[in-house]
Amino acid sequence: MKVEKNKVVSVSYELHVDDGEQGKTFFEKVGKDHPHHFLFGAGNTIPALEKSLEGKSIGDTFEVFIDFENAYGDYDESKKAIIPKANFKENGKKNPEILKVGRVIPMQDDQGNQLRGEIIKIDYKGVHMDFNSPLAGYDLYFKGEIINIREAEQEEIEHGHVHGPGGHQH
């Protein structure tokens, strides 16, 4: 079986990043024992990474460089926001477990788009959040292996993501 549209692909990889100033540094490793699963062709991963995997088979290795413009883009100061503390109440009360600097919180904008925001500061103005990807502004260097490929279930194709082990659970 080959990596192609509507296949569930599982990969292990090591990722190094380069901000253009510090040189290439280790970022993360996803091992064979807990690979990354995604629905190929559903727009859930970087297009340049998908392109480098297309047509490969189980056991094939890959190595790909993706410049920041074709990865997560440049760091964008306009993706920072100050949100009122009142927006973070649960059942009318402040939850101190949520409001911690460094915490990443799933959020939704006024158009219903899902976002992840990192709390960078809390002060009298509100909760300062950064909605940039943690990899914004970085060139990416992936080196990995195709661990598994399977046919996607119809429901996974309809939902645009993987279900079950390693994927999204409903």
Side-chain angles (χ1 to χ4, degrees):
M1 189 175 293
K2 302 265 187 215
V3 173
E4 61 188 14
K5 186 170 176 63
N6 294 332
K7 299 284 194 255
V8 174
V9 180
S10 302
V11 297
S12 65
Y13 63 85
E14 192 166 292
L15 172 61
H16 287 80
V17 299
D18 187 343
D19 66 359
E21 295 175 14
Q22 307 296 319
K24 194 159 71 166
T25 58
F26 174 80
F27 184 78
E28 75 176 346
K29 181 174 183 167
V30 174
K32 292 180 182 183
D33 53 338
H34 292 96
H36 172 64
H37 310 275
F38 66 97
L39 180 60
F40 191 87
N44 297 324
T45 195
I46 304 166
L49 178 59
E50 271 200 347
K51 186 176 180 182
S52 74
L53 300 176
E54 191 167 18
K56 294 195 179 293
S57 301
I58 295 172
D60 286 353
T61 59
F62 60 92
E63 197 167 337
V64 61
F65 163 78
I66 305 169
D67 65 57
F68 73 91
E69 291 174 330
N70 291 302
Y72 294 96
D74 209 349
Y75 189 86
D76 184 352
E77 286 292 329
S78 73
K79 290 184 178 179
K80 288 182 174 179
I82 301 173
I83 299 172
K85 290 178 192 173
N87 290 20
F88 295 91
K89 288 185 177 179
E90 288 183 351
N91 301 321
K93 295 181 181 176
K94 185 173 110 178
N95 183 341
E97 290 303 309
I98 291 177
L99 292 179
K100 291 187 176 180
V101 173
R103 179 145 185 146
V104 176
I105 301 174
M107 300 187 78
Q108 191 173 21
D109 67 13
D110 52 0
Q111 280 88 39
N113 298 311
Q114 299 296 315
L115 306 168
R116 59 156 298 290
E118 179 181 355
I119 297 175
I120 53 175
K121 179 178 163 183
I122 301 169
D123 64 13
Y124 70 95
K125 294 178 186 175
V127 180
H128 299 247
M129 299 195 70
D130 185 348
F131 292 97
N132 282 285
S133 163
L135 294 172
Y138 287 93
D139 293 332
L140 310 179
Y141 299 86
F142 286 94
K143 184 176 184 177
E145 181 180 347
I146 308 293
I147 303 303
N148 195 29
I149 304 167
R150 70 168 171 82
E151 294 289 340
E153 296 174 12
Q154 187 59 39
E155 186 179 45
E156 292 174 315
I157 294 168
E158 289 168 5
H159 291 187
H161 59 252
V162 177
H163 294 180
H168 178 78
Q169 304 287 331
H170 284 281

